[in-house]
Amino acid sequence: MFNEIMLAVLNFLTSLLTAVSGLGGGMILIGLMPMFLPALAIIPVHGATQLASNASRAWFGRNKIDWRNVYPFLLGSLLGVAVFGMAVRFIELQMIPLFIGVYILLIQWSKTVNRWLKSMQNFYLIGFLQTGLGIFVGSPGPLNMPLLIQKYDDNDTVIAMSAIQQSILHSAKVLIYVAMGFAFWEYWQVVLAMVVSAILGSWVGVRIRSYVPASFLKRMLPWLLTALAIKVIISNLITLGWVQLSWFGLG
């Protein structure tokens, strides 16, 4: 029960954060989940709960959704599922936390990666890559945000559009893991607790958005995500046996 309660609380807070600032919550959550769940369950459980978080946020902001830019993303996502969905079957699931940690660091600090992300001006391509990467690393980061910010001046529209696009990719991710035979029913308690807390976090976040300094939150996010990524990487390397606790004076 401790794990379920902690994950529900964390999901409420990260869902609230994303509802306020538009990004960051999903990556923080995926960085924390290896502390509470086995590696094989991280991505599918994260997908189910983030689907609830983003779908609820999209519903609360539905009057701001520009459907003209949703359909290209959807088509790109379907292609991403077809390509990356086959590749994930050949990945060692115990290494997924390592992929997550490295990916978070690249997103936060690699100028080359960020230039590449900003260069994408096409929702078809973004849908393809964001959905494909999501299958491996859970929360693929703000690939769609630069283009959304470029197209829309209204922050509420940016957040609503990001939410509906993220709902698409997390739906695809859940379907992939169902097809692979992941037993969601074995984790129904934690999924239920996190889904409820995600919806509640979205509801609260939308209502306090105008009162919270989102710019401050965005400045703090890279440092928090970096600390989480380093912990995830070291913990996974120890689990895989590639690093020994004695190296840190702990064993």
Side-chain angles (χ1 to χ4, degrees), residues 168-186:
I168 292 170
L169 78 89
H170 287 300
S171 297
K173 186 168 62 178
V174 168
L175 291 175
I176 284 290
Y177 279 89
V178 167
M180 289 176 60
F182 179 78
F184 277 95
W185 63 270
E186 293 183 2

Side-chain angles (χ1 to χ4, degrees), residues 57-183:
R57 191 160 56 254
W59 174 257
F60 295 138
R62 61 191 179 278
N63 60 323
K64 295 288 188 176
I65 294 175
D66 180 3
W67 291 98
R68 294 170 300 175
N69 287 321
V70 173
Y71 299 126
F73 186 94
L74 173 60
L75 292 175
S77 293
L78 293 175
L79 183 58
V81 167
V83 174
F84 288 89
M86 292 184 291
V88 75
R89 297 177 183 273
F90 303 99
I91 297 297
E92 173 57 56
L93 295 181
Q94 290 296 325
M95 294 183 65
I96 281 180
L98 181 61
F99 296 153
I100 291 169
V102 172
Y103 182 79
I104 290 175
L105 290 179
L106 288 175
I107 286 290
Q108 299 307 312
W109 304 111
S110 171
K111 292 182 179 180
T112 300
V113 170
N114 280 281
R115 279 198 301 269
W116 174 65
L117 295 180
K118 291 178 181 179
S119 70
M120 291 189 293
Q121 302 294 317
N122 187 310
F123 281 116
Y124 294 99
L125 178 59
I126 292 174
F128 172 77
L129 291 174
Q130 198 159 16
T131 301
L133 288 172
I135 294 171
F136 291 98
V137 298
S139 184
L143 274 71
N144 58 341
M145 291 302 283
L147 185 53
L148 289 174
I149 292 171
Q150 176 184 320
K151 285 187 173 292
Y152 304 106
D153 295 327
D154 178 23
N155 189 52
D156 290 339
T157 300
V158 170
I159 292 175
M161 287 295 295
S162 179
I164 191 65
Q165 291 178 347
Q166 295 277 348
S167 297
I168 292 170
L169 78 89
H170 287 300
S171 297
K173 186 168 62 178
V174 168
L175 291 175
I176 284 290
Y177 279 89
V178 167
M180 289 176 60
F182 179 78

